[in-house]
Amino acid sequence: MQITEKKLSALTNGLNAVDGVMSNGIHTGFKALDKDLALLYFPDGATVTGIFTRNKIKAHSVMYDMDMLKQFTEFKAILVNSGNANACNGLRGEQDVHEMTRSLAEKLNIAPHQVLVSSTGVIGEPMNLQPFYSGLDALIDGLSHQHSTAAAEAIMTTDTIPKELSMQTVIGGKMIHFGAIIKGAGMIHPNMGTMLSYIVTDAALPQNALNTALKSAADDSFNVMTVDGDTSTNDTVLLAATNKVPLDAAYLDDFTASLTEMCRELSRMVARDAEGATKFVTVKTVNAKTKSDAISAAKAVATSSLVKTAVYGQDANWGRVIMAVGNSGIKTLDPNAITIKFTSAAGEVLVCHEGLAVPFDETLAFTVLSQTDVGIFINLNTGDAAAEVWTCDMSIDYVKINADYRS
Amino acid sequence: MQITEKKLSALTNGLNAVDGVMSNGIHTGFKALDKDLALLYFPDGATVTGIFTRNKIKAHSVMYDMDMLKQFTEFKAILVNSGNANACNGLRGEQDVHEMTRSLAEKLNIAPHQVLVSSTGVIGEPMNLQPFYSGLDALIDGLSHQHSTAAAEAIMTTDTIPKELSMQTVIGGKMIHFGAIIKGAGMIHPNMGTMLSYIVTDAALPQNALNTALKSAADDSFNVMTVDGDTSTNDTVLLAATNKVPLDAAYLDDFTASLTEMCRELSRMVARDAEGATKFVTVKTVNAKTKSDAISAAKAVATSSLVKTAVYGQDANWGRVIMAVGNSGIKTLDPNAITIKFTSAAGEVLVCHEGLAVPFDETLAFTVLSQTDVGIFINLNTGDAAAEVWTCDMSIDYVKINADYRS
């Protein structure tokens, strides 16, 4: 049975939507003023799985979580700080992770190995844990079924808005809920802005089933943004199931389909709020010879600074698109077969047909590209494989923000 | 005998330095106001070789030149227009190349196959050859041994200054001259700004020897900027030898060494004048396990938008450097062995030692990075291979220029 999108209905309360999840977010002192410490607490425990950065340089918290998830399936808390990535801090970085889990566990009266940790922020700067210790009581006292937004705020770095999502759906005759918070990649495509996401569900599934579902969902969502292992030291997606609603393993595909929708929407939220982004861009390739060709061509277009600046300028500069396709290294490419369209809610404009310029209405093209969501559609006409990659435009603000990050 | 840099002395007259080369550059009408048509003329002929874009989408002039250079070794003219790339123009694009060579050859009283052609500018726009026809007489009438600068100006697109270079050196007891003009890549690294360069020498060498020399020189110069086939539809480097100074084939290595120096300096001129560039950045990796690892790590750092914006902001944000190294996909990487320094004429600052932050003087770091030429030095400490890659910073002006290109 295929879950259709219709059956998934959106809720508005983030992590609060899921039974068995409490959360909170406060300011301690990792950042100057803003909330910087989030806690997800599962009073009755949760089965957790995760996926992590493919960067060979991994933050200490990432290495810790990966290790814990190999050893254990059940957890009670996820602690996240923003303002310091705790990466490249050597032995002290490792010790600080243990300090954080130990001190939180003590306050919650649970075992340290029941705590997972994430960090995001500047790397290579040893953590100062004093403000963290001072803030722990307030963090725990404020735990509630209503504080998802505070948690979403506390994991932000250069995000401009807190990002939460929740949905419900019927699987195997039972109502299943999903809730999530996410923080954005600095810039989605080129590389290395940290993405952190925490997804909770009340469904009961074993860790290996959750892992299968999460990996599959990520391949159709986070991984079509975060390209080719271009990930930060800290990227983390954790999926926690509070096991309140028993679900037969036969429904794993349905669960995965819903989780995928959830992850796709979370990815889009991140792309829309990327550093300096003014537009969400979908690059779609069709009729490629192979799936791999379709993906490579779409990624080459989506990562091209020249394409991204043209989209920012609302300029239907398809020459840059076709050049990026030519540079993508795909095996089967017929320059005289390529057709390119720019699309949006304002319409579509055909700019290149079978490798040749098509006279087009520049005013219409500008209107199409002036929308917030724009598409670049590329028909390679060499087969029947397709791919879709998401990115954002590259703006003046992107440079401003990133020329000024540490200050 | 190894040619040392000392023996190469710089001259100031570009193409004019080489006997047997005449040149000119004028405005015809491919561009609104600026010079847009250049001609290099070899009255006594020249032996020519070339290297071209690896983009699978090639301009019509590139396909034509590649074909001519397979069939012939001797040429009399190189014609270059800026303002229109003559790429993706189908049959008409091919015909226009033939029109251009035919009409020039007629005026010069040479055979069409003695003419090579390059184009740069907007792609996918059919050429209007009327202004070109009208300008041909003036172009030819103005041919001179003094007009290198006019030719350099006529090949510019978003370059801010015309770029010429000449050198002389003694090889095998004979004084050999080199002259060149070059136009810049829009942005060197990420992709696709067109680079055109024309190098002339009075040395006499057969086409296959010239080709060997040019390929070798490019590997240590143009190809450490223009990464991984990320090239435009039009990229072209032609090397023309006017055969005025007989050179024994035994001196090919010496010739190659001098040509390499010439190409390295040309590359640096391009990087310094890249769109919006405020800094020339050398990324140097040492002690990598393999040459391939050294190159991959250097390229990953040099192509990272986050590293390039940090350099623009004069921010010693080594976290982005180490993240880029971690993302480079290199096989042998020990995060706890990586050492990173920022360098320039103002000094050097060690920021990361064996994977750990080193407390450093932020004022000194800012001073080091405030220079026009800055270096990022990365010791991988896993072997003895090294590499060097050149790039520029990414500025607000880069986005401005590229958001506005076609207008």
Side-chain angles (χ1 to χ4, degrees), chain A residues 344-365:
Chain A
S344 78
E348 66 173 51
V349 56
L350 176 72
V351 287
C352 170
H353 179 69
E354 297 183 355
L356 286 178
V358 173
F360 62 90
D361 179 343
E362 287 277 357
T363 311
L364 171 64

Side-chain angles (χ1 to χ4, degrees), chain A residues 53-57 87-91 123-126 187 190-193 228-233 275 300 303-307 309-310 312-320 322-327 329-333 335-336 338 355-357 360 362 394-396 398-407, chain B residues 53-57 87-91 123-126 187 190-193 228-233 275 300 303-307 309-310 312-320 322-327 329-333 335-336 338 355-357 360 362 394-396 398-407:
Chain A
T53 179
R54 286 168 290 186
N55 196 309
K56 287 201 178 177
I57 317 267
C88 302
N89 286 330
L91 187 59
I123 85 167
E125 212 166 82
M187 185 73 170
N191 40 19
M192 297 189 287
D228 286 338
D230 279 346
T231 58
S232 93
T233 49
E275 279 169 3
T303 52
S304 160
S305 296
L306 289 175
V307 171
T309 46
Y312 170 64
Q314 302 176 175
D315 178 6
N317 196 326
W318 63 271
R320 296 186 183 170
I322 203 167
M323 281 199 286
V325 171
N327 276 324
I330 69 175
K331 292 209 184 94
T332 308
L333 185 65
N336 299 317
I338 299 170
L356 286 178
F360 62 90
E362 287 277 357
M394 178 180 279
S395 70
I396 288 171
Y398 168 74
V399 177
K400 281 190 188 159
I401 292 165
N402 283 302
D404 198 40
Y405 179 63
R406 291 192 321 163
S407 48
Chain B
T53 180
R54 284 169 292 186
N55 196 309
K56 287 201 178 179
I57 317 267
C88 302
N89 286 330
L91 186 60
I123 85 168
E125 211 166 80
M187 184 72 168
N191 40 22
M192 297 188 288
D228 286 340
D230 278 347
T231 58
S232 93
T233 49
E275 279 169 4
T303 50
S304 160
S305 296
L306 289 175
V307 170
T309 47
Y312 170 63
Q314 302 176 177
D315 178 6
N317 196 326
W318 64 270
R320 295 185 183 171
I322 203 167
M323 280 198 290
V325 171
N327 276 327
I330 69 175
K331 291 208 184 97
T332 308
L333 185 65
N336 299 317
I338 299 169
L356 285 178
F360 62 89
E362 288 277 358
M394 178 181 278
S395 70
I396 288 171
Y398 169 74
V399 177
K400 280 190 187 158
I401 292 165
N402 283 301
D404 198 39
Y405 179 63
R406 289 195 321 163
S407 48

